[in-house]
């Protein structure tokens, strides 16, 4: 399959890359006043809107069962906006723009609650505010060099500086977004526009328990993530011991549990970030195709033993970090459906009911390792080619015909793991340093 054909079907989806850095909040007394006053505004808006929320219950028969469906209707923003704004201005002690932000945040909270409540995932009680943060609108902040001035009230400001920080060199020429102020930290989001570029290489990745099996159009590559699985397994054993300790020691046990959970997340993310950095270093300017996986659906069809193994995987974290960092290397990430990727024949499209370690097509005789077969089907879905179609002359052309004379598609394809071993060894070397 020529790269010219593949490039025609590609369209870039992202024009910007977003990076967020955090600062320690060294002006807690000033921001405390801002957060407390904003909390009053947000609570007032939430209470006012809650009085106008309509909750309807309807019983629906499904066979012998009677199900109760819940429909929640929120007041339309356009109809109540002016009245609600006037009510909030009576208690507002901040700049007027914070009133608009409070209304938007209140609607965001109620919309999120409505979606979960209609699915039965949340109670029908009024949502409660826990830790409040303020996302400062662009009209309330002014950037001067390496500092941002935030308006609290007319002629009253709070200034945060990021000069002499570890990321100060990285943010040159970037555009500051809407800062987020919390009690202990301030988050500064930056963005910059990416130059348009077409990917040179293509790589499809099939996610498995211990490996990521990939196909780049010429060869198969296997990336080992067994070390990551072992890390999750070891931390799970520690967590089970801490849970038994926490059940007997109350507050002290909860603090210890929180400490080890935080440590596990940090170790896993550290591994994932280093793995993705090494992968992107090996494949710059590449279009990556990954599976859009849903663990909940996997648990339904899996045994208890397999469910425990699936719970230790972090596929979504790898995909999320890859998608986040790919733009920095001029690459892109596309999610494709994993449906029947390991059970379909990439040559003729025949679907097998039962697949063992090796996939065998009963129609055309195609034979290949199940995981490698999945990566090949993901590759075809990424490029947008069907398994079987007819040319204008009437002759039949199947998706992987161009590889036939080079690899011998009737036999099993050998797994080329040279680059994969290099990735794994390189990661271990980075970790030691």
């Amino acid at each position: 399959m020529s790269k010219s054909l593949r490039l025609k079907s590609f369209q870039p989806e992202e024009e910007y890359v977003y990076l967020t850095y955090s600062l320690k909040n060294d002006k807690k007394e000033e921001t405390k006043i801002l957060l407390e006053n904003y909390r009053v505004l947000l609570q007032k808006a939430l209470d006012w809107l809650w009085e106008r929320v309509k909750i309807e219950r309807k019983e629906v028969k499904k066979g012998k069962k009677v199900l109760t469906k819940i429909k929640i209707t929120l007041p339309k923003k356009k109809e109540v906006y002016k009245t609600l704004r006037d009510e909030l201005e009576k208690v507002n002690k901040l700049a007027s723009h914070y009133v608009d932000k409070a209304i938007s945040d209140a609607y965001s909270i109620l919309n999120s609650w409505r979606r979960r409540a209609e699915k039965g995932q949340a109670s029908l009680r009024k949502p409660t505010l826990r830790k409040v943060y303020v996302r400062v609108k662009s009209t309330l902040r002014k950037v001067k060099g390496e500092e941002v001035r935030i308006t609290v009230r007319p002629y009253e400001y709070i200034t945060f500086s990021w000069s002499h920080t570890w990321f100060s060199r990285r943010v040159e020429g970037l555009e500051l977004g809407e800062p987020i102020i919390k009690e202990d930290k301030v988050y500064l989001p930056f963005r910059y526009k990416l130059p348009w570029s077409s990917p040179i290489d293509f790589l499809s990745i099939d996610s498995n328990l211990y490996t990521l099996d990939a196909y780049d159009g010429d060869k198969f590559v296997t990336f080992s993530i067994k070390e990551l699985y072992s890390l999750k397994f070891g931390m799970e054993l520690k967590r089970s011991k801490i849970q038994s300790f926490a059940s007997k020691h109350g507050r002290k046990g909860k603090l210890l549990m929180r400490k080890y959970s935080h440590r596990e997340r940090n170790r896993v993310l550290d591994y994932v970030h280093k793995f993705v950095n090494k992968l992107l270093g090996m494949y710059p300017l590449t279009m990556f195709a990954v599976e859009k996986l849903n663990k909940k659906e996997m648990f339904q069809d899996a045994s208890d033993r397999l469910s425990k193994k699936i719970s230790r995987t972090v596929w979504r974290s790898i995909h999320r970090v890859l998608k986040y960092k790919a733009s920095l290397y001029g690459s892109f990430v596309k999610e494709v459906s994993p449906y029947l990727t390991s059970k379909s024949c990439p040559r003729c499209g025949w679907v097998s009911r039962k697949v063992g370690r090796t996939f065998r097509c009963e129609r055309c005789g195609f034979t290949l390792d199940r995981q490698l077969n999945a990566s090949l089907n993901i590759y075809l879905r990424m490029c947008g080619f069907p398994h079987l179609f007819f040319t204008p002359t009437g002759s039949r052309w199947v998706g992987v015909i161009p590889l036939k004379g080079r690899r011998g598609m009737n036999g099993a394809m050998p797994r080329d793991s040279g680059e994969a071993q290099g990735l794994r060894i390189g990661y271990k070397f980075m970790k030691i340093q």
Side-chain angles (χ1 to χ4, degrees), residues 233-252:
F233 182 73
M235 296 301 292
E236 183 180 312
L237 294 178
K238 286 184 180 180
R239 198 187 318 117
S240 62
K241 294 180 181 179
I242 296 169
Q243 283 175 343
S244 61
F245 175 84
S247 62
K248 300 175 183 177
H249 293 80
R251 184 173 177 274
K252 185 178 179 181

Side-chain angles (χ1 to χ4, degrees), residues 1-10 202 383 385 397 402:
M1 190 180 299
S2 64
K3 290 182 179 178
S4 60
L5 287 175
R6 293 180 291 178
L7 289 173
K8 288 181 181 179
S9 62
F10 170 73
F202 292 75
C383 297
F385 289 103
W397 183 25

Side-chain angles (χ1 to χ4, degrees), residues 15-21 137-139 141-145 147-148 162 167-168 170-179 187-194:
E15 295 182 355
Y16 294 91
V17 63
Y18 297 85
L19 301 169
T20 302
Y21 300 101
K137 295 177 65 176
S138 57
T139 51
R141 60 115 178 105
K142 187 175 182 179
V143 180
K144 289 184 178 180
E147 63 180 26
V148 56
W162 60 83
F167 62 86
S168 58
R170 299 190 182 189
V171 298
E172 291 181 2
L174 301 189
E175 181 183 347
L176 179 66
E178 298 180 346
Y187 294 91
L188 303 175
F190 294 92
R191 77 170 188 176
Y192 69 91
K193 191 172 184 179
L194 292 171

Side-chain angles (χ1 to χ4, degrees), residues 46-137:
L46 200 60
D47 294 340
W48 194 91
L49 291 171
W50 181 258
E51 294 175 357
R52 289 154 180 81
V53 172
K54 295 180 182 179
I55 301 176
E56 300 176 4
R57 294 178 177 85
K58 188 178 179 181
E59 293 185 351
V60 180
K61 287 187 177 180
K62 264 197 173 183
K64 295 181 180 180
K65 294 182 180 180
V66 179
L67 303 177
T68 303
K69 281 195 173 183
I70 298 171
K71 184 180 179 182
I72 300 173
T73 306
L74 302 181
K76 293 184 178 180
K77 191 174 181 179
K78 291 182 179 180
E79 296 177 358
V80 301
Y81 187 84
K82 188 176 180 181
T83 307
L84 176 55
R85 198 179 192 283
D86 294 338
E87 289 292 326
L88 295 181
E89 283 288 1
K90 296 177 182 178
V91 298
N92 182 31
K93 296 181 180 179
L94 303 173
S96 297
H97 286 284
Y98 288 104
V99 174
D100 303 324
K101 191 62 181 172
I103 295 173
S104 298
D105 287 349
Y107 265 98
S108 177
I109 292 170
L110 289 175
N111 280 320
S112 177
W113 164 80
R114 180 183 62 179
R115 287 192 295 269
R116 291 183 288 111
E118 288 181 343
K119 295 178 182 178
Q121 298 174 355
S123 66
L124 299 180
R125 292 177 294 179
K126 181 176 69 174
T128 56
L129 296 179
R130 296 179 181 176
K131 291 185 178 181
V132 176
Y133 63 88
V134 178
R135 184 187 295 272
V136 182
K137 295 177 65 176

Side-chain angles (χ1 to χ4, degrees), residues 107-321:
Y107 265 98
S108 177
I109 292 170
L110 289 175
N111 280 320
S112 177
W113 164 80
R114 180 183 62 179
R115 287 192 295 269
R116 291 183 288 111
E118 288 181 343
K119 295 178 182 178
Q121 298 174 355
S123 66
L124 299 180
R125 292 177 294 179
K126 181 176 69 174
T128 56
L129 296 179
R130 296 179 181 176
K131 291 185 178 181
V132 176
Y133 63 88
V134 178
R135 184 187 295 272
V136 182
K137 295 177 65 176
S138 57
T139 51
L140 293 170
R141 60 115 178 105
K142 187 175 182 179
V143 180
K144 289 184 178 180
E146 292 187 344
E147 63 180 26
V148 56
R149 190 187 72 180
I150 295 170
T151 303
V152 180
R153 300 186 182 97
Y155 306 105
E156 186 176 334
Y157 311 100
I158 304 175
T159 302
F160 296 100
S161 174
W162 60 83
S163 62
H164 304 294
T165 57
W166 66 273
F167 62 86
S168 58
R169 294 181 181 179
R170 299 190 182 189
V171 298
E172 291 181 2
L174 301 189
E175 181 183 347
L176 179 66
E178 298 180 346
I180 299 171
I181 301 176
K182 293 187 176 182
E183 293 180 1
D184 55 344
K185 285 189 177 182
V186 178
Y187 294 91
L188 303 175
F190 294 92
R191 77 170 188 176
Y192 69 91
K193 191 172 184 179
L194 292 171
W196 192 92
S197 62
S198 297
I200 298 175
D201 297 316
F202 292 75
L203 189 73
S204 59
I205 301 174
D206 175 50
S207 303
N208 299 291
L209 289 175
Y210 310 117
T211 60
L212 299 179
D213 297 281
Y215 179 69
D216 63 2
D218 294 321
K219 62 181 178 299
F220 293 99
V221 185
T222 299
F223 305 104
S224 175
I225 55 172
K226 194 170 184 179
E227 188 177 346
L228 179 58
Y229 182 88
S230 300
L231 173 64
K232 289 282 290 182
F233 182 73
M235 296 301 292
E236 183 180 312
L237 294 178
K238 286 184 180 180
R239 198 187 318 117
S240 62
K241 294 180 181 179
I242 296 169
Q243 283 175 343
S244 61
F245 175 84
S247 62
K248 300 175 183 177
H249 293 80
R251 184 173 177 274
K252 185 178 179 181
K254 288 182 180 179
L255 292 175
L256 190 62
M257 185 66 193
R258 189 183 303 171
K259 173 185 174 181
Y260 273 85
S261 297
H262 186 68
R263 181 180 296 177
E264 178 184 359
R265 286 194 299 270
N266 283 347
R267 287 184 178 179
V268 170
L269 282 177
D270 179 69
Y271 186 102
V272 170
H273 277 277
K274 289 178 179 177
F275 179 86
V276 170
N277 287 340
K278 193 68 177 178
L279 177 64
L280 289 170
M282 290 173 58
Y283 292 94
L285 296 175
T286 300
M287 180 67 175
F288 293 91
V290 297
E291 299 170 291
K292 193 173 184 179
L293 299 171
N294 189 342
K295 276 191 178 182
K296 289 184 179 179
E297 294 181 358
M298 293 183 184
F299 291 142
Q300 294 175 0
D301 301 330
S303 61
D304 293 341
R305 185 179 178 183
L306 182 58
S307 295
K308 288 182 179 180
K309 291 184 177 181
I310 292 174
S311 65
R312 300 185 191 115
T313 58
V314 290
W315 298 318
R316 292 295 294 173
S317 297
I318 295 174
H319 297 168
R320 185 177 65 250
V321 174

